[in-house]
Amino acid sequence: MSLMVSVSGVRGIVGESLTPRVLSSFSQAFATWIRGRMQGVEGAPVMVVGRDTRPTGAVISQLVCSTLALCGCRVVDLGIATTPTVELAVTGEEAQGGIIITASHNPLEWNALKLLNQQGEFLDEVELEELLCVLREEKYALARWDGVGTITGNSSYDAEHIRQVLGLSCVDRSVIERQGFRVLVDAVEGAGSFIVPELCRALGIDAVETVACGGTGIFPRNPEPVAENLMATIEAMQERSCDFAIVVDPDVDRLALICEDGSLFGEEYTLVVCADFYLQHRPGTVVNNLSSSRALHDIAMRHGQQCLSAKVGEANVTALMKSANAVIGGEGNGGVILPELHYGRDALAGIGLFVQAFAAWRERSAGEKCLSAFRSEYPRYVMIKRKVRFDAGRENLDLVFHEIADAHPDAHANMQDGLKLDFEDSWVHMRSSNTEPILRIYIEAPTAEEAERLAGLFCAELEERIEEAEG
């Protein structure tokens, strides 16, 4: 399997595509690229490194930290830390860059290097290409024996991250505390195992129950927080009579919620709820990606604000947010980006906003006060997500997309990122994954029946045209 290299990081299966040579080469190239951006700045570059709990994380971290030190960097090693915590630490340490060792929702055999620039943000496409040029040339800036850098541990940033969430302008602990919530947290044994329950307690949640929060790194289920993987979590939540459940992925940049009746609130609606609540306090433009629900657009219109859509990928969403001076944004996979805190998907920020929004709604609600009733306050769309294996070249894929667009003249075609077809009351988005050798197909419609019909139609059409292109 080939190595996956994109703005989402350098990702592969450990021992197959993600080898010691790959890890060392990318670490040296990254340190060299960082040094090249420091022209005129004296001193050793400071680099922050953190990892999730995967079994391979510790040894990869040792290799990465040592390689950076051999390139003359001063390394701040956070140990186990969430992706957004590392992002905050880059700016907190006034570092020149950062590396997060995590493959997010991928299975255990995967790992990755997620690369951060001086702003604690993922490299954009221009920065990534500059880094890849350094990698291809293999002209690395290595330190002499007397210029080797240092590696220093720092475990203070979990507490700092929680402090900053509690300090958000719209978070009021007393409102949450009055609700007497009983909540289940499922961190899938990942980096959120300790910080997420601690945040919940700090927010004023009365009782915090946990499952898969031992930090072992051995995922008890597929770590992607989608319905088919959460049956045991739903059962545990109901057995313990919880008001709702909070579920995060292994590196804690995605947030999913489960209602008291066992239904999923919907990852797409994490950002929708957070934006609806936040716009009441700070009006402005909102941003999502092309694969996100129309519900965010509907909510933005309610507040008289604009909703813009970027290419899929956190760096792309962040770039559009900055250019549009957006107040909140993110992606429909449960990723919330709040510039008041930092420019990065942050499940901890999402928890703060979501729990505050739900608590405020309960306080003013005269009827049912459960999370499923709260969900009914928002626009109703049904989204279906499919995957199709794809091994052909980019040229073939572009041809396939053009043929499909031509076959559906009744839709508005957008080829900014794969192919998105916007129909009057539904849409279909097909694109190659940044993290797996597959095509992702997202379909949204007003009803489950219509969404299923479109999913069947376009999956079949895509597979047929791919077969023709490869044949």
Side-chain angles (χ1 to χ4, degrees):
M1 183 177 292
S2 62
L3 195 70
M4 308 293 294
V5 180
S6 72
V7 293
S8 299
V10 182
R11 190 176 307 225
I13 294 178
V14 177
E16 292 184 16
S17 53
L18 197 68
T19 63
R21 180 178 180 180
V22 167
L23 292 163
S24 175
S25 295
F26 269 95
S27 298
Q28 291 177 82
F30 188 57
T32 302
W33 177 74
I34 289 291
R35 276 198 176 277
R37 293 166 66 89
M38 289 178 62
Q39 292 181 358
V41 178
E42 294 188 9
V46 178
M47 303 283 266
V48 175
V49 176
R51 63 179 177 89
D52 70 17
T53 56
R54 291 167 190 269
T56 57
V59 290
I60 290 176
S61 179
Q62 291 167 14
L63 173 59
V64 168
C65 288
S66 296
T67 301
L68 294 175
L70 288 167
C71 291
C73 298
R74 289 198 296 116
V75 181
V76 179
D77 181 9
L78 304 188
I80 295 171
T82 76
T83 285
T85 304
V86 179
E87 293 168 350
L88 282 173
V90 169
T91 55
E93 292 291 319
E94 298 183 347
Q96 279 68 51
I99 296 178
I100 313 160
I101 300 162
T102 175
S104 191
H105 64 272
N106 289 80
L108 273 180
E109 63 267 26
W110 290 74
N111 218 322
L113 306 182
K114 292 186 175 182
L115 308 176
L116 304 174
N117 61 21
Q118 190 172 8
Q119 288 74 46
E121 300 163 16
F122 290 126
L123 307 192
D124 60 27
E125 291 176 350
V126 173
E127 291 172 327
L128 177 62
E129 183 53 38
E130 291 174 355
L131 172 66
L132 293 178
C133 284
V134 175
L135 187 75
R136 287 189 289 266
E137 292 176 358
E138 295 187 334
K139 294 180 179 178
Y140 303 136
L142 305 178
R144 287 166 44 89
W145 69 270
D146 55 352
V148 171
T150 58
I151 303 172
T152 306
N154 187 328
S155 60
S156 67
Y157 276 96
D158 278 8
E160 175 61 17
H161 198 164
I162 290 173
R163 187 192 69 78
Q164 291 194 30
V165 172
L166 294 177
L168 290 172
S169 59
C170 58
V171 169
D172 185 344
R173 188 183 190 277
S174 64
V175 175
I176 299 170
E177 200 168 24
R178 285 196 292 271
Q179 300 309 309
F181 285 134
R182 186 179 192 85
V183 173
L184 180 79
V185 173
D186 178 352
V188 73
E189 298 292 343
S193 293
F194 306 110
I195 190 173
V196 173
E198 186 59 33
L199 171 65
C200 290
R201 297 183 189 100
L203 283 167
I205 291 175
D206 186 59
V208 180
E209 299 283 336
T210 62
V211 294
C213 286
T216 66
I218 305 299
F219 307 148
R221 55 168 173 80
N222 184 313
E224 191 164 12
V226 295
E228 57 266 31
N229 301 331
L230 297 176
M231 300 311 297
T233 307
I234 292 169
E235 185 177 336
M237 179 197 70
Q238 294 181 324
E239 284 178 351
R240 303 185 198 187
S241 302
C242 294
D243 296 299
F244 60 96
I246 290 171
V247 183
V248 294
D249 65 335
D251 70 324
V252 199
D253 58 2
R254 295 171 61 179
L255 169 64
L257 288 302
I258 304 173
C259 300
E260 82 297 334
D261 61 0
S263 64
L264 265 65
F265 197 91
E267 271 193 305
E268 288 291 331
Y269 285 81
T270 300
L271 175 58
V272 172
V273 171
C274 291
D276 181 39
F277 176 72
Y278 196 71
L279 288 174
Q280 299 170 37
H281 297 266
R282 184 173 291 189
T285 298
V286 299
V287 171
N288 61 7
N289 67 30
L290 288 165
S291 283
S292 299
S293 175
R294 280 186 180 174
L296 185 64
H297 179 268
D298 296 347
I299 290 300
M301 287 188 65
R302 282 187 195 176
H303 290 274
Q305 303 300 326
Q306 186 179 28
C307 178
L308 304 175
S309 296
K311 291 173 62 176
V312 174
E314 185 173 323
N316 300 319
V317 175
T318 296
L320 183 56
M321 288 181 69
K322 287 182 173 181
S323 65
N325 197 28
V327 298
I328 190 169
E331 299 189 278
N333 58 7
V336 177
I337 301 174
L338 193 65
E340 183 184 347
L341 198 61
H342 66 115
Y343 279 103
R345 292 184 308 180
D346 190 337
L348 299 167
I351 290 167
L353 293 183
F354 192 98
V355 174
Q356 187 74 54
F358 182 37
W361 176 82
R362 274 173 57 117
E363 195 156 76
R364 66 176 183 268
S365 176
E368 272 201 81
K369 297 189 177 185
C370 55
L371 191 61
S372 58
F374 183 50
R375 173 67 177 81
S376 68
E377 299 282 315
Y378 291 90
R380 290 187 175 273
Y381 293 103
V382 176
M383 183 177 288
I384 292 176
K385 301 177 182 181
R386 297 281 190 265
K387 299 177 182 179
V388 172
R389 182 84 185 181
F390 182 75
D391 295 311
R394 168 61 59 182
E395 186 176 322
N396 285 339
L397 184 56
D398 289 342
L399 175 62
V400 166
F401 285 159
H402 277 98
E403 288 176 345
I404 293 175
D406 291 342
H408 297 276
D410 53 328
H412 171 72
N414 182 330
M415 300 192 73
Q416 178 187 359
D417 184 12
L419 171 63
K420 184 170 185 178
L421 296 174
D422 267 301
F423 298 92
E424 184 176 351
D425 60 356
S426 59
W427 57 264
V428 179
H429 189 200
M430 297 166 271
R431 55 177 293 276
S432 57
S433 170
N434 288 333
T435 59
E436 301 175 68
I438 58 172
L439 295 179
R440 298 190 186 276
I441 308 158
Y442 288 39
I443 304 99
E444 186 175 69
T447 66
E449 293 76 16
E450 178 62 9
E452 287 287 356
R453 186 189 71 82
L454 289 171
L457 173 68
F458 280 96
C459 284
E461 184 173 353
L462 187 57
E463 288 174 341
E464 180 182 346
R465 292 186 185 275
I466 287 174
E467 187 174 340
E468 291 175 356
E470 293 177 339

